[in-house]
Amino acid sequence: KCFKCGTPWVGRAQPRPRQICTGCGAYLHTCVNCHHFDDTVTNSCKLPDTEYIGPRDMINYCDRYEMVHTGLKAIEARAERARNCWEQLFRK
């Protein structure tokens, strides 16, 4: 989905860097549309070896870009919550 308007991405598996959303015209190949984006970590990227690209809502040419898959993101969040709960229960 587009980070700006929520329009679902229909097309090939990953949008190319200059492809835009059909709903609002925003670029789709941006950090905030990437599966690895996390604004709670350094550089806002879960990948440890990435460099700062610039404004997170602007077009970028990162080779490791993966369009967000909302279902997969929800599963990962649920697993992370379970892992944190487990660690809190059995912390010494």
Side-chain angles (χ1 to χ4, degrees):
K1 293 182 179 181
C2 173
F3 75 94
K4 214 171 211 178
C5 71
T7 301
W9 162 247
V10 289
R12 49 185 280 194
Q14 300 294 320
R16 290 183 226 133
R18 294 199 174 268
Q19 285 187 305
I20 59 172
C21 173
T22 57
C24 67
Y27 285 112
L28 293 171
H29 201 285
T30 63
C31 290
V32 291
N33 262 353
C34 182
H35 183 76
H36 304 295
F37 177 75
D38 183 355
D39 59 357
T40 63
V41 297
T42 304
N43 255 358
S44 299
C45 186
K46 289 190 255 179
L47 301 174
D49 57 344
T50 56
E51 293 182 24
Y52 181 75
I53 291 179
R56 298 304 185 184
D57 59 348
M58 298 300 292
I59 188 173
N60 70 52
Y61 298 95
C62 179
D63 294 332
R64 302 183 68 188
Y65 172 84
E66 291 180 37
M67 185 79 168
V68 168
H69 185 283
T70 52
L72 181 59
K73 200 75 154 165
I75 290 168
E76 287 178 350
R78 191 170 51 222
E80 181 68 24
R81 284 192 305 270
R83 186 176 15 256
N84 289 340
C85 183
W86 178 266
E87 288 174 359
Q88 287 178 358
L89 285 172
F90 296 101
R91 202 182 303 178
K92 291 184 179 183

